[in-house]
Amino acid sequence: MDSLTQAVLGATIQGALLGRWQGRKALLYGAVLGTLPDLDVAIRYTDAVAAMTYHRGFSHSIFVLSALAALLTLLVRRWRPNPGYSTQRLFLSLWLVLVTHTLLDCFTSYGTQLFWPLMTPPIAWSSIFIIDPLYTLPLLAAVIGGVLFGLRDRTPRLPVAALALSSLYLLSTLGGKFMAEQRVQEALERDGVRPQAMFSTPTPFNTLLWRVIVLDGEDYHEALVSWFDREPPRLEPIPRGTELARCLRDSPQHLRLAWFTHGILRYDQIDQVLVVTDLRLGMTGFHPFRFILAEHRDGRWQPVKEARRWHTERGDLDRLKVLWQRIWHEDQAVPLSTWAGLLQR
């Protein structure tokens, strides 16, 4: 999730558990600690693929964060002891601030290596967009209320209420994901399509309209599904360019990218370079993670030694308006194939 959301989540948790004794400082401490796992972005990696796939690695591991919470508890107890609350309560507070950061990230589409150093595939439940105001606003209101009115009550009610409200909303997003995938699965069975893989994620800034990707051999299909749809979803076939992936069999960058994304990738030849796109993130035709993994030299494709980011177009307000209309109106045309075609240039 975005840094603001992680900060107010950490602040609200620490305010709820330690605000009675720490007062407004609990909000500051929780906000700083809540954004700590994302400081791994400052690490310089060997290339663009490594920078993407090692982010949310060790710094988001529940094992590492649990050890860090224990260490911080010992340090705080030694240098800033407070007889008002127990060591166990302090550890629980710090642990929840850290671990909820990485658990919240698991609900996005990026991929979080929750059990690092175990080489399990990254977790991406992909039920919430990376920025979702409906999740963030209750937490932000609780932080503002704590700053204005303090947190010295025996049980700070506003942070607890905000956490409950945001958590219920987060759980409700799983219902939207199930709805979208179930409707697409029914459409696939009707058409006799047996997909290799399916991936669903909400469209930007909401959980009412869902984007579903279905891998099917040389193509992939995209569909939009709204909570308010009555007709079966329409799946648009789009070329995936998998024949180009043959030249990447010996590319360690491609192997790691395929592992990290669960294979939800697209391949395009643009001029003399092979661009591989992570289809999970962003919106159709506008994906933030695209990489040059091979170059056409001396009559053949040659994998590059260091992957580079490919320039990515950003969606504009007009396209967001189209998606907003599609939430409420099933007959609103959304040119997914046309938008996807922009990836070829």
Side-chain angles (χ1 to χ4, degrees), residues 53 55-57 60-61 111-116 122 256 259-260:
T53 60
H55 176 48
R56 294 193 185 179
H60 285 60
S61 166
T112 303
Q113 297 170 60
L114 188 64
F115 302 109
W116 184 96
R256 182 163 181 86
W259 168 78
F260 190 83

Side-chain angles (χ1 to χ4, degrees), residues 38-345:
D38 280 340
L39 291 183
D40 66 332
V41 297
I43 300 174
R44 295 182 63 87
Y45 292 100
T46 55
D47 65 11
V49 168
M52 175 193 178
T53 60
Y54 284 99
H55 176 48
R56 294 193 185 179
F58 75 92
S59 68
H60 285 60
S61 166
I62 59 171
F63 305 125
V64 172
L65 295 178
S66 296
L68 178 59
L71 175 61
L72 290 174
T73 299
L74 292 175
L75 293 176
V76 171
R77 272 307 189 198
R78 180 176 179 83
W79 301 108
R80 296 295 296 269
N82 189 317
Y85 51 86
S86 66
T87 300
Q88 291 82 356
R89 188 181 188 93
L90 175 61
F91 171 77
L92 178 64
S93 302
L94 300 181
W95 184 79
L96 284 174
V97 170
L98 290 169
V99 170
T100 53
H101 175 117
T102 192
L103 289 176
L104 181 57
D105 279 345
C106 288
F107 280 87
T108 68
S109 303
Y110 189 96
T112 303
Q113 297 170 60
L114 188 64
F115 302 109
W116 184 96
L118 302 179
M119 285 300 293
T120 55
I123 296 173
W125 295 321
S126 60
S127 70
I128 192 170
F129 194 68
I130 194 170
I131 300 174
D132 191 316
L134 289 183
Y135 179 82
T136 306
L137 286 175
L139 302 174
L140 180 60
V143 172
I144 294 174
V147 171
L148 293 177
F149 305 112
L151 295 168
R152 294 294 184 179
D153 292 339
R154 184 174 182 83
T155 302
R157 294 182 179 84
L158 191 56
V160 172
L163 287 168
L165 186 60
S166 288
S167 297
L168 287 173
Y169 173 72
L170 188 61
L171 289 176
S172 75
T173 65
L174 296 174
K177 183 179 181 70
F178 176 81
M179 174 277 300
E181 291 189 357
Q182 188 68 22
R183 291 187 182 179
V184 169
Q185 185 63 46
E186 291 172 357
L188 292 172
E189 292 175 357
R190 178 199 62 201
D191 297 338
V193 177
R194 294 184 177 179
Q196 296 170 269
M198 181 186 296
F199 182 86
S200 62
T201 185
T203 54
F205 312 121
N206 77 95
T207 55
L208 296 175
L209 181 65
W210 291 76
R211 171 174 166 257
V212 183
I213 302 171
V214 176
L215 300 189
D216 181 24
E218 297 294 317
D219 297 326
Y220 66 99
H221 304 264
E222 288 214 19
L224 293 176
V225 183
S226 169
W227 270 108
F228 305 104
D229 288 351
R230 296 184 178 181
E231 298 297 324
R234 177 173 176 267
L235 285 86
E236 295 198 32
I238 303 170
R240 190 172 167 226
T242 51
E243 69 281 354
L244 292 169
R246 298 189 186 113
C247 70
L248 298 173
R249 284 177 292 187
D250 298 324
S251 168
Q253 294 97 334
H254 180 250
L255 288 173
R256 182 163 181 86
L257 190 61
W259 168 78
F260 190 83
T261 63
H262 299 266
I264 313 297
L265 298 170
R266 167 180 167 146
Y267 306 85
D268 292 282
Q269 178 180 351
I270 304 177
D271 296 329
Q272 298 301 307
V273 298
L274 173 54
V275 179
V276 182
T277 301
D278 179 357
L279 294 170
R280 304 169 306 145
L281 305 175
M283 184 57 203
T284 309
F286 304 91
H287 306 285
F289 291 101
R290 309 188 69 198
F291 305 96
I292 298 173
L293 294 190
E295 297 175 340
H296 199 265
R297 300 194 304 266
D298 302 324
R300 64 188 181 92
W301 286 108
Q302 300 183 31
V304 299
K305 293 182 178 179
E306 295 184 4
R308 307 188 302 276
R309 287 281 292 271
W310 181 258
H311 173 70
T312 300
E313 296 288 342
R314 291 181 177 270
D316 54 32
L317 187 58
D318 289 338
R319 290 180 174 85
L320 286 178
K321 289 180 179 178
V322 170
L323 293 176
W324 179 255
Q325 291 298 320
R326 175 61 183 83
I327 294 174
W328 317 104
H329 304 290
E330 193 171 359
D331 57 353
Q332 169 66 55
V334 182
L336 294 177
S337 296
T338 301
W339 290 358
L342 299 174
L343 297 174
Q344 296 176 326
R345 64 187 192 190

